C-alpha cells in the first residue's frame, strides 16, 4: 500500500516543476520501493522516449512496450483523478496525464483550478469557444502552465478572439498553437505574428481558414516567428505572392514541416521556393491539390535545397510524365521515404520510372 502523504508530496513537486524530469524519475524509484514496478517502468520509459530523436532505431520497440504498459493501467490512472463534468483526461506524457479536454468554456473556467491542481497539465483541448470566450481565456493565469493550446475544430473565435488572446501575458511558455477552422482572416494572423508573447512558438496550425496571401506575408515578416518548425496553412487560399514572401523571409528559415496543400499555388510559387534557401531544413513538404505542373516539379527536383526532404506530397496537381521523370532522376531526393503523386497525369511509363527509383516509398495512386 502506497504511503499517500509521500505520494502527495511527490505530486506537488512534479506539479511545481512540470518541465523537470528529475522529480518524475525520483518518484519512479520510490514507486519501485513500494512495489508498483509497472508504473515506475512506465514513467522511466516515457521519459526516455521523450528524449529520443525521431530516427532512433530503438524508438519503435520502446513505443510498443509503452503501449503495452499503458493499455491496462490508463483507466486506473484516470479514475484517480477528479471526475468533473465536461472535463476529459487524455494522453499521458513522461509518466503522467498531461492533456485535458474541456467540452465547453464553462467547464474550463469553472474547473481549471481543480484540473491543474490534480495533474501536470501542459496541453488543453478546448471546444465551443467564441470570440467572447477567447477574450476571457486571455485573462486566465492557467495559460502560463501550457505548452500546447489546441483550439482546433468546434470553435469560432475569429479575428476578434485571436486579437484578444494574443494580448495575454500568460502565453510565454506556449510552444504549439492550433487554430484550424476558426473563421480566421489575415487580421487574426497579423495579431499572432505581432504578439511578443509567442517567441517560443515552434508549431502553428492555421489550416482551413480564409487567410489569403496576407496571412503568410505577416508570418514571413515577423521576427517573433523565427522559432517555427511546423507551419500548417492547408486550405487557407494562400497563393504565389505569399510563397514569394516566404522565399524571401529572414525569419522562417528553420521550418521542418510545411503544409501548403489545397491552395492556389502554381509553378511560379514553387519556383520561388526552389530559388531560395529558406526551406533548406524542411523534411516534410505537403503540396497536394494545387495547380503545379511538370515545370514546377522539375525545379523542385533540380533544387539542392530540398536534399533533406523525407516526405513529399504532390497528389492531385497537374503533373505528367516529364515531372515524374524529373523526380525519378533527381540527384537531391535520395532521403525521400514517402512520395505521393496520385491523382496527376502520370502514365504507366512515368509511374514505372518512379517505382524503379523509389520502390515501395512511392505511391502513384
Amino acid at each position: 500500500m502506497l504511503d499517500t502523504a509521500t505520494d502527495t508530496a511527490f505530486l506537488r513537486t512534479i506539479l511545481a516543476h512540470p518541465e523537470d524530469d528529475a522529480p518524475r524519475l525520483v518518484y519512479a524509484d520510490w514507486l519501485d520501493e513500494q512495489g508498483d514496478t509497472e508504473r515506475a517502468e512506465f514513467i522511466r520509459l516515457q521519459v526516455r522516449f521523450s528524449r529520443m530523436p525521431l530516427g532512433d532505431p530503438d524508438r519503435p520497440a520502446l513505443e510498443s512496450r509503452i503501449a503495452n504498459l499503458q493499455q491496462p493501467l490508463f483507466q486506473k490512472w484516470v479514475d484517480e483523478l477528479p471526475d468533473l463534468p465536461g472535463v476529459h483526461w487524455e494522453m499521458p506524457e513522461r509518466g503522467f496525464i498531461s492533456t485535458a479536454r474541456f467540452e465547453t468554456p464553462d467547464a474550463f473556467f469553472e474547473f481549471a483550478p481543480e484540473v491543474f491542481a490534480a495533474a501536470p497539465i501542459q496541453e488543453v483541448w478546448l471546444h465551443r469557444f467564441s470570440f467572447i470566450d477567447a477574450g476571457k481565456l486571455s485573462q486566465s493565469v492557467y495559460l502560463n502552465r501550457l505548452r500546447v493550446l489546441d483550439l482546433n475544430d468546434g470553435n469560432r473565435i475569429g479575428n476578434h478572439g485571436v486579437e484578444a488572446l494574443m494580448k495575454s501575458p500568460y502565453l510565454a511558455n506556449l510552444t504549439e498553437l492550433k487554430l484550424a477552422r476558426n473563421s480566421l482572416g489575415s487580421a487574426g494572423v497579423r495579431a499572432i505574428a505581432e504578439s511578443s508573447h509567442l517567441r517560443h512558438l515552434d508549431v502553428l496550425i492555421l489550416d482551413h481558414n480564409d487567410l489569403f496571401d496576407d496571412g503568410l506575408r505577416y508570418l514571413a515578416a515577423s521576427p517573433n516567428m523565427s522559432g517555427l518548425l511546423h507551419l500548417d496553412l492547408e486550405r487557407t487560399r494562400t497563393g504565389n505572392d505569399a510563397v514569394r514572401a516566404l522565399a524571401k523571409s529572414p525569419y522562417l528559415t528553420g521550418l521542418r514541416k510545411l503544409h501548403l496543400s489545397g491552395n492556389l499555388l502554381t509553378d511560379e510559387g514553387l519556383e520561388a521556393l526552389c530559388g531560395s534557401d529558406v526551406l533548406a531544413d524542411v523534411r516534410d513538404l505537403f503540396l497536394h491539390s494545387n495547380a503545379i505542373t511538370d515545370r514546377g516539379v522539375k525545379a523542385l527536383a533540380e533544387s539542392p535545397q530540398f536534399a533533406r526532404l523525407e516526405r513529399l506530397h504532390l497528389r492531385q496537381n497537374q503533373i505528367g510524365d516529364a515531372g515524374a521523370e524529373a523526380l525519378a532522376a533527381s540527384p537531391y531526393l535520395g532521403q525521400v521515404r514517402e512520395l505521393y503523386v496520385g491523382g496527376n497525369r502520370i502514365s504507366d511509363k512515368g509511374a514505372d520510372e518512379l517505382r524503379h527509383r523509389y520502390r515501395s516509398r512511392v505511391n502513384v495512386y
Side-chain angles (χ1 to χ4, degrees):
M1 182 121 179
L2 290 179
D3 179 343
T4 55
T6 304
D7 188 72
T8 301
F10 273 119
L11 178 59
R12 285 175 180 162
T13 303
I14 291 165
L15 288 172
H17 305 280
E19 297 290 348
D20 192 352
D21 288 335
R24 298 172 189 244
L25 295 174
V26 172
Y27 180 59
D29 291 342
W30 180 77
L31 286 173
D32 263 337
E33 295 171 1
Q34 304 301 305
D36 194 349
T37 57
E38 288 188 333
R39 179 68 189 275
E41 182 185 6
F42 182 78
I43 293 171
R44 292 192 190 99
L45 292 183
Q46 277 213 316
V47 168
R48 181 184 167 198
F49 187 80
S50 72
R51 298 172 176 178
M52 268 187 168
L54 289 176
D56 193 304
D58 293 333
R59 193 177 175 92
L62 188 59
E63 190 169 22
S64 177
R65 176 57 181 162
I66 288 170
N68 289 337
L69 287 168
Q70 177 178 322
Q71 187 172 2
L73 295 174
F74 180 72
Q75 191 57 51
K76 176 179 178 290
W77 301 334
V78 169
D79 290 342
E80 294 171 355
L81 296 169
D83 183 11
L84 305 168
V87 178
H88 302 270
W89 303 99
E90 300 291 343
M91 303 302 295
E93 179 181 305
R94 293 156 57 230
F96 291 81
I97 301 293
S98 64
T99 301
R101 173 164 53 95
F102 295 86
E103 291 296 336
T104 64
D106 287 346
F108 178 84
F109 295 123
E110 182 174 354
F111 298 119
E114 293 177 64
V115 168
F116 284 89
I121 298 298
Q122 294 186 291
E123 176 172 353
V124 296
W125 305 346
L126 304 179
H127 296 279
R128 303 183 191 177
F129 272 62
S130 68
F131 72 92
I132 295 173
D133 301 314
K136 187 176 178 182
L137 178 65
S138 70
Q139 303 303 312
S140 173
V141 296
Y142 295 104
L143 291 178
N144 196 45
R145 302 275 293 273
L146 298 181
R147 289 187 297 104
V148 181
L149 176 58
D150 189 333
L151 283 152
N152 277 355
D153 305 326
N155 300 286
R156 288 291 183 273
I157 69 172
N159 289 333
H160 291 309
V162 171
E163 288 168 342
L165 190 56
M166 292 304 102
K167 295 175 182 176
S168 174
Y170 304 118
L171 298 176
N173 294 319
L174 210 62
T175 60
E176 299 185 23
L177 177 60
K178 302 180 180 182
L179 291 165
R181 295 179 174 88
N182 260 285
S183 301
L184 300 188
S186 59
V189 181
R190 182 174 185 175
I192 293 169
E194 294 180 351
S195 175
S196 61
H197 305 301
L198 294 179
R199 289 175 179 164
H200 295 109
L201 204 66
D202 54 40
V203 175
L204 179 58
I205 309 298
L206 296 169
D207 59 281
H208 293 81
N209 289 294
D210 290 339
L211 308 182
F212 297 93
D213 283 347
D214 281 345
L216 182 50
R217 281 200 195 103
Y218 290 135
L219 297 174
S222 173
N224 298 326
M225 298 290 107
S226 60
L228 277 186
L229 302 176
H230 178 183
L231 176 61
D232 190 338
L233 295 172
E234 181 178 0
R235 300 193 184 280
T236 53
R237 301 182 185 269
T238 297
N240 290 336
D241 286 346
V243 174
R244 290 189 190 101
L246 172 61
K248 297 176 181 177
S249 175
Y251 306 114
L252 297 182
T253 57
L255 289 173
R256 302 293 192 275
K257 184 180 292 188
L258 177 63
H259 292 251
L260 289 169
S261 300
N263 281 301
L264 308 172
L265 304 185
T266 68
D267 296 330
E268 286 78 7
L270 183 52
E271 286 173 335
L273 289 177
C274 294
S276 162
D277 61 1
V278 73
L279 297 185
D281 288 328
V282 74
R283 268 62 165 183
D284 301 328
L285 183 60
F286 295 80
L287 296 169
H288 60 75
S289 304
N290 280 290
I292 297 165
T293 72
D294 292 338
R295 174 181 146 193
V297 170
K298 285 181 180 178
L300 187 155
E302 294 169 2
S303 175
Q305 78 145 326
F306 292 113
R308 296 185 178 182
L309 266 184
E310 296 178 4
R311 295 176 184 84
L312 177 58
H313 288 230
L314 291 164
R315 296 186 72 255
Q316 296 179 333
N317 279 283
Q318 300 170 21
I319 303 165
D321 283 351
E325 291 166 6
L327 290 170
S330 172
Y332 303 113
L333 298 179
Q335 300 299 314
V336 168
R337 296 188 285 120
E338 295 178 13
L339 173 60
Y340 290 85
V341 293
N344 282 289
R345 302 169 179 174
I346 299 171
S347 72
D348 290 343
K349 178 179 179 295
D352 285 343
E353 292 197 29
L354 287 169
R355 290 191 189 99
H356 180 73
R357 168 71 186 277
Y358 296 103
R359 301 187 182 279
S360 63
R361 294 173 291 159
V362 64
N363 186 314
V364 297
Y365 298 109

